[in-house]
Each structure stands twice: as C-alpha cells, then as structure tokens.
Amino acid sequence: MPEKKGGPAVRCGGIDVGSSAIKVAVVEEETNGGELRLLAHGVERIRKRHPLTVLQELFQGTIEDAGLSREELDYIATTGEGELVPFRTGHFYGMTAHARGALHLDPEARAAVDIGALHTRAILMDERAKVLGYRMTSQCASGSGQFLENIGRYLGVTLEEIGPLSLQADDPEACSSICAVLAETDVINMVSRGITVPNIIKGIHQSMAGRYLRLITSTRASGVVMVTGGLAADVGLLQAMREAAAEQNVGVEVRAHPLSVLAGALGAAIWGAFRYRKLAEKGVSLSA
Amino acid sequence: MNFVVGIDLGSTTTKAVILDESARTLGRGITNSRSNYDAACEIALAEALINARFSRIASELVGTGMTADEQEKCLSELEGRFRYQQFLGQLRVLREEIARVLSALDHGADYASVTERILGAIEKEAVALFAEGATRKSDFFRDLAGSAYLRHAEDEAREAGLSFDLLVGLYDKAILDVENATSAAGTFEDHAAAALARIESPPRELVSALERVSRVPLRQLASVGTGYGRARLPFPEGRIRSEILCHGLGAHAMFPATRTVLDIGGQDTKAIQVDGDGIVTSFQMNDRCAAGCGRYLGYIADEMNLGLHELGPLASRSQRPVRINSTCTVFAGAELRERLSLGEKREDILAGLHRAIILRAMSLLARSGGVTDQFTFTGGVARNPAAVEALRKLVFENYGEVTVNISPESIYTGALGAALFALRAVERFDA
C-alpha cells in the first residue's frame, strides 16, 4: 500500500444526499489538480426507506467496488442533505459541488443546471468552477423531478422509460405549469381523452424545459450549460431543452454527460481532495 | 325494486348513491378513481348495489328472533368473507397482469419466482386482513395489496439481489389494469354464495335472508353524474350537474338548516353559500394547487406509509403542534421527512399539517362570504377527526358560536345531491 500521508495520491469519497436518491463517487487524484480517476460510483433511490440505511449500504458497496476500505480514504465529503452523515470529514454546499462536478465532466461548461427531485438550480461559474451567480426555483414543486416521477407512476412508466417515450411524440399535448400533486389527475384526464403517453410526456417535458431555460438565462449564462442531477439522464427532457434553446435563440448549448447524475458527489469528492491537501500543507492531519 | 343513482366522479374517489322512489338511501358505494372513468362509475355503482343488498339483508334479519348482537355478528362475518372473496378475485387478476408484464421484459423470467412468492405471501396474509375485528389501512385493493407488496418486495429484492425499483415498477404497471378490469372486484352475485360457504354453520335466518335478497330485482330508472370528471362521464349531457349544485343540494338534504357548506375533496376545496332550498347563492374554489385539498393529506399519508384513515387519529394525539413552513404539498412532504429525521414527533408534525390545510380553507370561506349558521362540512376530509378539530377551533375564533354539521356519510354529499337531481328528473318525466 502506498504511503498515504504526504504521498501524492489522495483518495476521496463524495456523497450527495438528495431528497430522492443518494449518489456516491470514489476518486483518486494523482497530484494537486492533476489527473483524476473515478474508482467507483453508485446511485441508489431512497424510495421511502431510511436514508441513512440506504446511504450506508451504498457507500460501503461503492468503496468495496473501488477495492478500498473506509480507513483508506483520506477524506469523505458530503453535499446536499449530507450533513446527516455521521462519518463525513466535511460538507460542501450543493452549488459549489455541482459546479465543480459539472466542470470536471465537461471542461467547457460555464454553467450548470442541477435538476433534482425538488429543486432546480441554475449555477453560473467560471473556468475554475467558482460560482458567480445562481437562480433557484420557488417553493412549489411544479416541474420538479418529483413531479415527473409522480406523472410516470400514474402512466405506469418508470423514470428510465420516460425519456425514450418522449422522443416518440408526434403531437405533444401542451400543458401549462400545473401542481405536482394534482398533475396526476390532469394526466388521468389526458389518458381518458385518448392522448398517447409519448405526447403527454413530451408536453410536460416542453413545459419543464421552458421553465428551466428561463432559470438559466436569468443567470445570464451563455455557452455550454451542463445538466446535472437525476434528470440529466432523461433524454426526452434534454431534447426538449435543446429545442427550446434553439427556438428562443438564447445562445446556450445544453449538454449532459453519462455521469451527470454524479456531478454533486463527484464535485464534493474533488473539493474534498483539495481541502485535504490544503490542510496537509498546514500540517493538519485528518482522520477520515 | 326501482332506484335512481347519483355518481360523483371525484379526482381521488368515485362515489355512488342509490335512492328509492321516495328518496330513501338504499346503498352507497365508493372506489378509487382511475384512468378509466367508465370503469370507476361502473365499480362505484356495483359497490352501491352490494351495499344495498347487505342493507336489505340487515333489515330482513330484524324480527327473525335473533338478538341485535347476533344479527350484527353474522352480518359482519358475511361482509368480511365477502370482502375477502373480492380481494382474492382482484389478486388473481393482479397475478395475471404481473405475469403478462414480465413476459414482455427481457429478463422477466428471473423475476417470476420472486413475484410469485410475494403474491403468495399477500394471499396468505389476506385471511387475517379480513378476519373479525381486523382493521385495514384502506378500503381499496390498490392500497391494501400495494403496501403488502412493497413490504415483501424490499425483503425479496435484498435477498435475491434483484432490483427493488423494477419490482415496484411491475406493481405500478399491473395495478392499473387490475383497477380498470371492472370484473376484477365482482358483483354481489359473484361472491355472496362463496362468502356464505366460508362461514362455519351459518344461522339459517341469514341463509334464508341472503337467498330472498339475492332474488330481489333492481331496476335503474335514472342517473345523474357530477364531480371533477363529470365532463367525461358516460352520461348524456342533460344528466350532468355541477359539483357546486350537487354539494349544495346534498348538504341541504342532510341538514336542511345549512347556509354555509365547506367541501374539502380530493383536489378541490369549495366554500358554498346556499339559501333555504339548498340553492347556491355564492361560492369560491381553490386554484389548481394541492395545498389545502384532500390530496395534500393523501400525499402526506403516502410519505409516511400510513393509510389515509390513520392520519387524523394520530394527529389528534399531539400536544404541541408544529408550524409548517412549506405551502407546496411536495415541499411539505420533504419538510415532514426532515422534521422526522430531526426527531420531532409524528403527531406534532401531523397536527401542524392538518392546521395548514384548514387555514387555506378558512381563507376560501372568508372570500365566499364567511360562515353563516348552520355550517356543514363535507367531503372526504370531513371524516378526519384532526381536520374537524382544527376547523371547529378556527371557525369559533373567527365567527363565534356556530352549529357545525358533519355527517358520517359526508363523503357522499355530492353523489346524494346528484341522486336527488336524478329523482327530480324521474318525477318530472312521470308527471
């Protein structure tokens, strides 16, 4: 085993506790700011189980996948609602973590839009992931990930199926912003009117896309915008966002990465490595 | 026997009330609303007819020499067995649907034995679920089977190393078809004999009452529909009335001195002012937001893995209600989880949530013209003791001493109003 303390490589775990899923990333950074290797990662939806139990199982599994034990990690960084994790070394704000993760996944990104279960945040950043400004959705869950999941449940489709179905739409059913809870009945109404599932989903995606785009442009972002968070895997939503961006000619390019859902966990882990080195320079030793 | 039917197709539940020609209630039926409105109507009516047959058996038992206790005991036994038969029928359809969904999946076969075990366990537990004196979290198959399924699926997924998500997704898919299969729950005729056969040496009074009642023909004269989904009801246009009118008339029929009606339904909250004949003079409705409607509590119940019936009694135990900061239902759900993880008491949080929904209703009442004696509270939420308690308190604080009427059958107010409109149509036709 390589000498850890003072040695060049730093290994960190990043845990992003969301309101519907927990994301874990284990990284190894060769030198300060140097090559970063993602050793292992995992995502688990909470689905009404106890978050801490889900978290512990997932975290243990992920570090085992990385071939490590908890003692071999130099830093365990949390973000999101991760303050509840008893064995963390430190906690980072969601905004900074997502910005850092997004930049790592796409170095050209100058903004990130984190679409989670409850909130959506548009984050404007510079080339070093410094947060320059942000905008968040209000205290209403209309158009959130939870909203989309509720709708999926009522249509009998899983979150994974939503994106591909949306792409099959031929005549999207326009829908204005509707309450995340009552949307279920609106959807039932649409089904009973004979509107196809792809057209319902696409209509909802379009309404969400319009809302997110307004959020992004209100931060004055331009250029590459990385979608992060759980909904970055929804190809239908991404497509609707790209269409809306092209239609409104707002000068943003919407991108996503296969690991976008991990952006928060990844960003936290990277910041963890950074902080670990800073502290080590000062002679402060952390026991993770 | 001739009857008229009123159907209130709500966003959460669909209710049916059947009346005889002299406006006496023969039966009431309820089911959860679903994507197929025709099916929901059909099932609610079927349930009302079942209820009518059971009521008829009850009245046939009177004067047979059985004591009131004996009558009640054998009736509830029969009904328990009947519900059990219905459950088995629905479980059978669920099993078929899950098998069908699995056969279309790539690795569906890997899951077949697991779902078989889960369904087997649910079937075994069902006996206890419908036994004498057993309490059920809900009256609906979706909830009863769903909570048992979730419980077993979590264990099975962990043991077999299979995806919990996929198992849950299977149920979500299959249950839709179970609900829309109108034949799944069955009619009185389908299960009455089997239910009787499951009773060990049934009293002969019961056997003969059941036999007589089964032979009574029921003939529908007219129907009127109302509720959120009324535009989609399989009724001709002339047979549809607005919810406001039906709730006004229904509340008036239950409590003739009513002047103000508050109806908190699944997704609408209505404050209605009526005159001495039950005619609506003004009303206010909530905008399209679940905060302040029954769905709010439904969502919270789901979050807590509780049945809707359990929320109120639990909240009533609170000594120190908390103040809920969120308005949005989904955020209130997140706030609930957060407060729970901080160690706050379930009953205190729930009491706060009940107060929040009633506060929204109070502002609606104020905008409709306030509360005038007598005040009638209807809709599904009127069955919730904590909501009623919060409402009584706030009405007293704002409007002083007012008679508050709540009927145990208040969830059927809209359907009753619709049935009365149906009866008027029949009378007009006859005259």
Side-chain angles (χ1 to χ4, degrees), chain A residues 166 169 172-176 198-208:
Chain A
S166 174
E173 173 75 5
C175 100
S176 56
N199 285 333
I200 294 173
I201 295 176
K202 178 72 183 229
I204 286 161
H205 274 151
Q206 285 175 337
S207 144
M208 293 166 77

Side-chain angles (χ1 to χ4, degrees), chain B residues 42-43 86 89-90 93 178-187 190-191:
Chain B
E42 211 175 298
I43 294 166
Q86 269 190 320
Q90 286 161 304
V93 181
V178 178
E179 291 191 323
N180 288 331
T182 45
S183 56
T187 59
D190 292 338
H191 301 306

Side-chain angles (χ1 to χ4, degrees), chain A residues 19 47 184-186 192, chain B residues 165 232 267 288 295 337:
Chain A
S19 52
R47 296 207 94 136
E184 295 170 0
T185 44
D186 284 17
S192 72
Chain B
D165 254 12
R232 299 285 313 156
Q267 72 166 23
R288 301 270 304 114
R295 247 337 251 131
R337 266 179 283 161

Side-chain angles (χ1 to χ4, degrees), chain A residues 16 22 24 29 34 65 73 114-115 117 146 158 168 175 203 225 234:
Chain A
D16 181 6
I22 293 169
V24 171
E29 194 190 47
D65 287 350
L73 291 175
D114 165 29
I115 310 176
Q146 184 66 56
T158 62
Q168 293 167 20
C175 100
V225 177
D234 183 339

Side-chain angles (χ1 to χ4, degrees), chain B residues 95-418:
Chain B
R95 183 174 266 133
E96 288 163 16
E97 289 302 330
I98 286 183
R100 196 177 52 78
V101 178
L102 275 178
S103 68
L105 287 182
D106 280 347
H107 300 285
D110 302 351
Y111 285 82
S113 61
V114 172
T115 54
E116 211 30 63
R117 270 203 301 281
I118 296 173
L119 293 169
I122 297 175
E123 187 170 340
K124 262 204 207 103
E125 289 169 6
V127 183
L129 199 59
F130 294 95
E132 280 302 332
T135 53
R136 292 182 287 279
K137 280 186 176 184
S138 163
D139 296 328
F140 305 134
F141 181 76
R142 168 187 274 269
D143 307 330
L144 291 176
S147 64
Y149 186 95
L150 216 63
R151 193 156 33 80
H152 291 296
E154 195 177 341
D155 296 342
E156 289 285 351
R158 186 177 300 133
E159 230 155 83
L162 290 171
S163 158
F164 176 63
D165 254 12
L166 193 141
L167 280 174
V168 176
L170 270 179
Y171 182 82
D172 287 346
K173 267 193 181 29
I175 192 70
L176 290 178
D177 288 312
V178 178
E179 291 191 323
N180 288 331
T182 45
S183 56
T187 59
F188 183 81
E189 293 73 19
D190 292 338
H191 301 306
L196 189 68
R198 280 187 177 271
I199 299 178
E200 223 176 295
S201 55
R204 69 190 150 70
E205 293 89 341
L206 181 68
V207 178
S208 74
L210 179 67
E211 198 191 323
R212 277 197 306 280
V213 170
S214 302
R215 280 201 306 264
V216 174
L218 287 166
R219 195 166 72 93
Q220 181 176 322
L221 297 180
S223 58
V224 161
T226 186
Y228 167 82
R230 64 179 179 277
R232 299 285 313 156
L233 280 174
F235 293 174
E237 213 171 288
R239 289 293 150 86
I240 289 171
R241 292 287 184 286
S242 89
E243 289 160 272
I244 307 281
L245 289 175
C246 290
H247 275 275
L249 189 59
H252 173 79
M254 287 176 175
F255 304 102
T258 297
R259 289 298 174 274
T260 304
V261 183
L262 173 67
D263 173 65
I264 307 189
Q267 72 166 23
D268 288 322
T269 297
K270 303 177 266 284
I272 308 169
Q273 309 289 344
V274 294
D275 67 13
D277 299 316
I279 305 300
V280 176
T281 54
S282 90
F283 72 92
Q284 280 289 326
M285 260 176 90
N286 66 327
D287 41 12
R288 301 270 304 114
C289 168
C293 325
R295 247 337 251 131
Y296 180 84
L297 292 177
Y299 189 88
I300 296 299
D302 283 350
E303 281 287 307
M304 298 188 75
N305 274 327
L306 288 172
L308 198 48
H309 304 352
E310 296 172 287
L311 281 192
L314 192 56
S316 296
R317 280 195 238 146
S318 166
Q319 303 290 325
R320 294 167 53 94
V322 302
R323 217 187 120 97
I324 298 297
N325 298 313
S326 318
T327 302
C328 171
T329 309
V330 176
F331 284 83
E335 184 176 341
L336 160 86
R337 266 179 283 161
E338 202 178 307
R339 285 178 182 273
L340 283 175
S341 71
L342 289 173
E344 289 192 44
K345 283 193 190 155
R346 289 203 301 180
E347 54 261 41
D348 292 344
I349 307 169
L350 279 178
L353 290 162
H354 281 81
R355 191 180 146 83
I357 174 176
I358 296 300
L359 276 172
R360 303 266 299 181
M362 289 306 290
S363 83
L364 218 53
L365 277 169
R367 279 189 279 144
S368 78
V371 172
T372 310
D373 202 37
Q374 291 177 0
F375 175 54
T376 300
F377 182 24
T378 71
V381 176
R383 290 193 298 187
N384 179 315
V388 169
E389 208 177 312
L391 180 68
R392 280 185 197 279
K393 201 162 159 244
L394 283 162
V395 166
F396 180 75
E397 282 168 15
N398 288 282
Y399 300 100
E401 202 65 62
V402 171
T403 304
V404 179
N405 299 317
I406 296 166
S407 159
E409 309 299 346
S410 79
I411 194 168
Y412 295 103
T413 309
L416 173 63

Side-chain angles (χ1 to χ4, degrees), chain A residues 182-251:
Chain A
L182 302 188
E184 295 170 0
T185 44
D186 284 17
V187 167
I188 294 177
N189 211 318
M190 289 181 202
V191 172
S192 72
R193 270 164 38 221
I195 297 162
T196 65
V197 171
N199 285 333
I200 294 173
I201 295 176
K202 178 72 183 229
I204 286 161
H205 274 151
Q206 285 175 337
S207 144
M208 293 166 77
R211 176 186 298 236
Y212 299 154
L213 211 60
R214 281 194 296 280
L215 206 62
I216 293 166
T217 51
S218 70
T219 66
R220 299 181 192 281
S222 63
V224 175
V225 177
M226 269 297 276
V227 182
T228 68
L231 268 68
D234 183 339
V235 289
L237 177 63
L238 294 175
Q239 175 69 19
M241 288 174 76
R242 285 176 188 135
E243 284 167 5
E247 204 172 289
Q248 296 172 28
N249 201 15
V250 286

